[in-house]
Amino acid sequence: MTIPKEGEIIQVHSYKHDGNIHRVWQETMVLKGTKNIVIGANERTLVTEADGRAWLTREPSICYFHAEHWFNIICMLREDGVYYYVNLSSPFVYDNKSLKYIDYDLDVKVFPDMSYMILDEDEYALHKKRMNYPDVIDKILHNNIDRLLSWIKQRRGPFAPDFIEVWTQRYEFNKQVRDNQ
């Protein structure tokens, strides 16, 4: 597997369990790329939905993808603090300048005070039945929700106090380098 390089612009592709495309983010700048972790950033990037609708993201975001954990974390930088949107998903793969994962419907919204809400349980139940999610997927996802909630409570990974500061500075630096080329 190739690894995206710092400063490289990639796309992010979200699929559903049945293999259909769910959503595509046109441009995400890689801030860190290893075989296990990709940290990226985007701001006002075009997002295209499976039905063809398109929209622009509203605020700068730092995105955290892991090749072993079954979730990815979008850190949205808003005036009143950092909001986190977590997709329960397959681990990522990187292929042909695109980071790809399967979205498994369940989401967790985390607020700046680290309170959270688990979202879309009804959508998960519907898709689990409609797309025949195997029982092992259900078990993996629920174990990863437990891991994720532990990270939130312990302020680990992207929820750590200095995570946003470090990666926002790296993003600003990479934008300057890119603008000066």
Side-chain angles (χ1 to χ4, degrees):
M1 178 170 82
T2 59
I3 298 169
K5 294 174 179 43
E6 182 175 341
E8 185 177 355
I9 302 297
I10 65 171
Q11 289 188 343
V12 175
H13 295 189
S14 169
Y15 293 85
K16 285 298 184 182
H17 184 79
D18 63 5
N20 287 317
I21 193 75
H22 173 55
R23 187 173 287 141
V24 175
W25 287 259
Q26 284 303 116
E27 294 186 353
T28 296
M29 179 186 286
V30 175
L31 304 178
K32 177 181 182 174
T34 71
K35 68 179 183 136
N36 287 327
I37 294 174
V38 171
I39 298 174
N42 59 51
E43 182 174 1
R44 299 196 51 75
T45 192
L46 182 66
V47 179
T48 305
E49 303 286 339
D51 64 6
R53 288 180 300 125
W55 51 278
L56 287 176
T57 59
R58 291 187 304 230
E59 62 270 312
S61 296
I62 305 295
C63 312
Y64 175 91
F65 300 94
H66 204 286
E68 295 176 356
H69 300 309
W70 285 65
F71 53 81
N72 61 65
I73 304 168
I74 311 304
C75 314
M76 297 170 290
L77 313 177
R78 296 185 179 159
E79 286 185 22
D80 61 337
V82 179
Y83 289 77
Y84 302 85
Y85 199 86
V86 183
N87 297 294
L88 273 291
S89 65
S90 68
F92 80 86
V93 295
Y94 182 71
D95 177 51
N96 197 26
K97 292 196 178 266
S98 297
L99 184 142
K100 301 173 181 181
Y101 66 89
I102 298 170
D103 179 298
Y104 278 104
D105 315 308
L106 290 170
D107 302 304
V108 180
K109 185 174 183 177
V110 184
F111 299 91
D113 67 358
M114 292 296 138
S115 62
Y116 60 85
M117 294 171 35
I118 297 174
L119 306 172
D120 301 328
E121 292 174 287
D122 53 341
E123 183 182 350
Y124 176 75
L126 176 69
H127 286 164
K128 179 181 177 185
K129 188 174 187 174
R130 189 176 287 164
M131 293 184 220
N132 298 314
Y133 295 173
D135 289 340
V136 67
I137 293 289
D138 191 60
K139 185 174 183 169
I140 289 169
L141 294 174
H142 284 90
N143 287 341
N144 274 267
I145 287 176
D146 292 343
R147 174 179 288 136
L148 174 67
L149 297 180
S150 172
W151 280 25
I152 295 166
K153 291 172 187 165
Q154 295 173 19
R155 308 267 197 286
R156 290 185 53 206
F159 306 104
D162 61 343
F163 180 89
I164 293 300
E165 185 177 327
V166 166
W167 294 106
T168 301
Q169 287 175 2
R170 178 79 59 93
Y171 180 46
E172 293 302 323
F173 174 78
N174 277 301
K175 281 195 324 188
Q176 286 179 346
V177 167
R178 192 174 183 82
D179 290 345
N180 292 328
Q181 290 180 341

